Amino acid sequence: MNCVCYDKPIDTEIVKESLRRHLKTKPKFLYRIVEVLGDYYYKEMTEEEVFEKAIFEMNGVIENSEDINHFIQDHINKKLPIDGPLWRIHIQKYIDNGEARTILFWKNHHSFCDGVSIMLFNLALSEDYGRDYFVKGKDMTLF
């Protein structure tokens, strides 16, 4: 599970539009698993089916890091249903020091992509907003 915090509220429609662009170049975002005679296969879904099954705008507001931890604890070990794509995005409002923000929780099956791929996706999504939407953090280096 990956979590990204944006400095401002984000529009779910912009998230969907960004995903539409990625779906055209990365078709595995459209796949779900189906069982046929005991074997498992990929089946392509329509964009609308994907959005219905994979993008969730959450009710309520997260008010502190404990709420974030509770959300992650409740969702991290739950199996992803195979009736939709092998990933899910939960969009949650977040209040930090009185300022409205948005948290994107991204969960995917480990066979779908690794942590680096998720970060590349998040950075691609941020192109729609600019990097100033991300909460400022420490710079990290791999070496």
Side-chain angles (χ1 to χ4, degrees), residues 33-41:
I33 295 175
V34 294
E35 184 179 354
V36 178
L37 300 173
D39 288 329
Y40 294 95
Y41 299 91

Side-chain angles (χ1 to χ4, degrees), residues 4 6 10 14-15 17-19 21-22 25-26 104 119-134:
V4 177
Y6 293 89
I10 62 172
I14 292 177
V15 172
E17 193 54 43
S18 179
L19 279 170
R21 287 193 308 272
H22 290 287
T25 61
K26 297 169 185 73
L104 223 79
M119 287 310 300
L120 292 174
F121 170 80
N122 288 328
L123 289 173
L125 178 61
S126 73
E127 291 171 4
D128 291 328
Y129 291 99
R131 295 191 189 275
D132 62 327
Y133 267 78
F134 283 108

Side-chain angles (χ1 to χ4, degrees), residues 41-58:
Y41 299 91
Y42 287 119
K43 181 177 181 182
E44 192 168 325
M45 303 171 67
T46 67
E47 285 180 7
E48 292 312 312
E49 288 174 320
V50 168
F51 293 153
E52 181 183 320
K53 296 281 187 179
I55 300 176
F56 303 98
E57 207 163 353
M58 309 291 288

